Amino acid sequence: MLITILHGPPGSGKGTQAQYLTKRYGLQHVSTGEMLRDEAAKGTPLGNEVAPIMAEGNLVPDDLIVRVIESRLRDADTQRGVLLDGFPRTVPQARALDEMLRRSGRHVDLVLCLDVPEDKLIQRLLIRAKAEGREDDNLETIENRLEVYHRDTEPVLDYYRAKPGTAVECVDGDAPIEEVAMRVRDAVDRHYRDAA
Ligand code: AP5
């Protein structure tokens, strides 16, 4: 069973590449952003709590999102392999994930990170804003999301680089979608080959 994390700044293509990866490797896609947006759209108590935080581009509290993931990782469809998209986003979340996986004899195998220059990220999210109207895709919120990423989420990469048993592979994500998908696939295949 493969536990893989897709890591990268807002707009780097995590959700887009997840579609390719889940198909090819039979992983269950678990996107915390999608789960939270779903709750917000349904107007559940959790959704109502997180909606204003997400609208400002801030992170929801660690203990809340850790509970959400802990519950999701108990579901039957996550037992054969998972692709985590948007989680962990802080070092405390990464520690909590490792602890919950350890309890069930699992660990994070691979962290795939997507590198894309900041001007391209902003451009992509502003294009999406016009097409989809996601509430956090406006320039002010995008700039905050990028700041939060550099401050709180980037350190997660160093956490995993220092962790024996977890590989970190960074891929240049500044190319057409299909080209990035090939680079990501090569990185995952390389990991399997090296680990064999
Ligand atoms: P989340 O939904 O995870 O948002 P994000 O990280 O900001 O990521 P995006 O969905 O914007 O971008 P992406 O990297 O998935 O790129 P995508 O493929 O969509 O989180 C939203 C919020 O939820 C957070 O701000 C926070 O409030 C909360 N949250 C979630 N998880 C949390 C956690 N663990 N802890 C605390 N809070 C949490 O692509 C973007 C656009 O670019 C698309 O239009 C796509 O078509 C286009 N595109 C993709 N690839 C390419 C390419 N190669 N070339 C050109 N265009 C491309």
Side-chain angles (χ1 to χ4, degrees):
M1 134 167 223
L2 187 72
I3 306 230
T4 299
I5 293 171
L6 253 182
H7 177 107
S12 55
K14 301 183 293 297
T16 304
Q17 295 303 324
Q19 311 304 325
Y20 292 86
L21 283 168
T22 46
K23 255 191 235 146
R24 182 173 167 90
Y25 299 99
L27 303 170
Q28 181 63 44
H29 182 204
V30 174
S31 157
T32 42
E34 267 177 27
M35 289 166 81
L36 296 176
R37 274 189 293 281
D38 212 43
E39 295 285 332
K42 287 186 195 141
T44 63
L46 171 66
N48 292 338
E49 183 180 344
V50 300
I53 304 174
M54 295 171 76
E56 291 189 350
N58 292 318
L59 296 181
V60 308
D62 286 338
D63 58 338
L64 184 155
I65 198 74
V66 165
R67 279 201 307 275
V68 168
I69 280 289
E70 193 153 25
S71 156
R72 185 72 183 92
L73 291 186
R74 281 196 212 104
D75 292 341
D77 64 355
T78 63
Q79 301 310 305
R80 288 189 52 226
V82 187
L83 182 65
L84 290 168
D85 162 4
F87 182 91
R89 250 177 158 96
T90 65
V91 171
Q93 288 181 21
R95 288 207 184 96
L97 173 66
D98 284 344
E99 179 51 28
M100 74 178 89
L101 292 175
R102 193 190 59 75
R103 286 199 296 269
S104 54
R106 300 182 283 176
H107 69 279
V108 175
D109 298 281
L110 177 62
V111 181
L112 278 169
C113 65
L114 295 171
D115 289 327
V116 178
E118 203 138 304
D119 58 329
K120 298 280 180 65
L121 298 172
I122 295 172
Q123 213 177 63
R124 287 181 188 181
L125 295 176
L126 290 177
I127 291 172
R128 185 172 67 186
K130 285 197 189 123
E132 294 176 23
R134 210 172 104 173
E135 207 182 352
D136 55 353
D137 284 344
N138 60 77
L139 190 56
E140 191 185 345
T141 309
I142 292 168
E143 280 170 352
N144 186 43
R145 286 159 67 195
L146 288 169
E147 198 179 316
V148 168
Y149 170 78
H150 290 305
R151 186 188 63 220
D152 296 331
T153 307
E154 229 166 19
V156 170
L157 274 184
D158 283 336
Y159 170 84
Y160 281 116
R161 280 193 181 106
K163 198 169 168 61
T166 299
V168 177
E169 292 270 1
C170 287
V171 170
D172 180 358
D174 182 15
I177 291 173
E178 302 277 343
E179 171 67 34
V180 179
M182 275 196 293
R183 293 175 187 175
V184 169
R185 187 197 62 198
D186 288 350
V188 179
D189 288 350
R190 197 164 50 241
H191 167 74
Y192 271 130
R193 218 180 24 245
D194 293 349

